[in-house]
Amino acid sequence: MAEPHVREAAELLAHARRVVVFTGAGISAESGVPTFRDALTGLWRRFDAQALATPEAFRDDPALVWGWYEWRRSRVSRAVPNAGHLAVAAIEARVPDSLVVTQNVDDLHERAGSVAPLHLHGSLFAPRCSVCARPAPYEVAQEPGDGRRVSPPRCARCAGPVRPGVVWFGEALPAAVLEAAIGAASGCDLLITVGTSGLVYPAAEIPQVAARLGARVIQVNPERTPLDAVADVNLRGPSAQLLPALVRAAWGGDDPALPGAGPSGAGG
Ligand code: BV8
Ligand code: ZN
């Protein structure tokens, strides 16, 4: 039997007609992908992620920054979507008017079956020329090892250095993507925010817009965050455990998209 908060959240989900699932690095943590704040393990520890994720850092030392993103891309390529990603895909399959809005630059939502998540901050899998913006193909990331510089490839058209296809601090988010995310948040009746510290703007506005315009908000996070203030229900714990529990409590345990679902009722 689900615990009370999960039951309360499941009531909201079972009756929701227009759902936005807003995710941050925490949803990928149980796939072994470091969250943004701890994305600097190994030799990367000596850098501040926020300082590395900037146009200035790339201009000053393109090989260091490209090496960091190649290291992250190789980590993501070896990771697999976890039960939290699968539960989000199950929600999308059940609620026709639903949308994933993610701050993550990994592809785990797509690999879990989410149809077209909006990437507010770009993707590790869309490098482009830093001069003419031509999309650049990427090889399967070699393991650049910890902290090794890797010189970025050169653009086939203008020979400019290729950059990661992410939004850095100080860069504008892709306008059409942000507009679509705000539009969905404005019109939804339920927003589920999962695994984000809610500190980076303007992305952190999304759950606040939904709450301001009357949506109910469920938060899934082991820690307190500024989004506690707008959440109707706080599910305190890991998303790979709580999201499947939420989906099972809302629609019963036989959701084929959920791991351990099915007649045996395995997975509790
Ligand atoms: C911009 C891609 C202007 C790169 C990222 C007010 C308004 C507008 C801007 C600002 C503002 N105030 C300040 C700013 C500037 C800045 C900003 O917000 N700074 C912060 C630090 C205060 N914003 C910007 O620069 C943005 N651009 O404003 O441009 C502009 C306009 C016009 C023209 C020119 C310029 C751009 C911000 C985008 C930066 N790029 N990512 C990359 O990945 O390398 S941000 C990056 O950090 C993530 O994408 C994410 O958005 C953000 C925070 O990460 P989270 O996903 O929340 O992860 P985090 O590690 O922080 O937390 C993990 C959470 O998971 C924790 O809560 C933890 O408890 C939880 N967790 C852990 N395990 C689990 C779990 N949860 C569930 N289950 C688990 N198992
Ligand atoms: Zn170019």
Side-chain angles (χ1 to χ4, degrees):
M1 183 61 163
E3 58 99 15
H5 287 310
V6 170
R7 278 207 306 277
E8 191 187 348
E11 264 305 292
L12 296 178
L13 179 55
H15 293 96
R17 292 285 160 269
R18 294 177 306 286
V19 175
V20 168
V21 183
F22 177 69
T23 67
I27 196 168
S28 299
E30 288 156 283
S31 295
V33 177
T35 63
F36 199 77
R37 267 141 191 68
D38 56 35
L40 295 169
T41 53
L43 293 182
W44 294 107
R45 241 189 342 271
R46 65 183 188 279
F47 299 103
D48 164 9
Q50 235 154 276
L52 268 186
T54 63
E56 295 73 21
F58 184 73
R59 183 199 57 215
D60 296 346
D61 192 342
L64 176 70
V65 174
W66 181 259
W68 183 45
Y69 282 93
E70 281 297 88
W71 173 73
R72 287 173 62 188
R73 186 151 61 86
S74 64
R75 298 272 311 242
V76 165
S77 301
R78 292 201 309 273
V80 290
N82 62 57
H85 296 106
L86 292 171
V88 169
I91 291 171
E92 285 179 270
R94 286 264 180 169
V95 182
D97 188 346
S98 57
L99 178 68
V100 175
V101 176
T102 187
Q103 301 169 86
N104 297 342
V105 294
D106 65 47
D107 62 346
L108 295 178
H109 278 305
E110 289 85 345
R111 286 161 58 195
S114 285
V115 177
L118 290 185
H119 282 268
L120 292 175
H121 294 155
S123 166
L124 288 169
F125 298 90
R128 65 174 188 271
C129 174
S130 60
V131 175
C132 73
R134 184 175 196 262
Y138 58 84
E139 304 78 42
V140 176
Q142 308 83 19
E143 177 54 58
D146 271 340
R148 187 164 66 85
R149 285 183 164 71
V150 179
S151 292
R154 291 280 163 175
C155 170
R157 179 162 57 195
C158 76
V162 170
R163 58 163 285 175
V166 301
V167 178
W168 278 324
F169 286 99
E171 292 187 320
L173 277 60
V177 174
L178 181 58
E179 199 181 317
I182 290 173
S186 309
C188 71
D189 51 22
L190 175 66
L191 182 137
I192 307 172
T193 172
V194 185
T196 182
S197 54
L199 297 172
V200 171
Y201 282 82
E205 282 277 7
I206 298 294
Q208 300 171 45
V209 165
R212 237 187 345 261
L213 293 178
R216 308 299 292 278
V217 176
I218 298 166
Q219 176 171 229
V220 181
N221 195 319
E223 313 284 332
R224 299 183 61 78
T225 77
L227 294 173
D228 281 40
V230 299
D232 296 280
V233 185
N234 268 305
L235 302 181
R236 285 258 184 272
S239 46
Q241 187 189 319
L242 286 170
L243 284 174
L246 171 62
V247 169
R248 282 199 185 91
W251 295 305
D254 58 354
D255 195 305
L258 281 181
S264 66

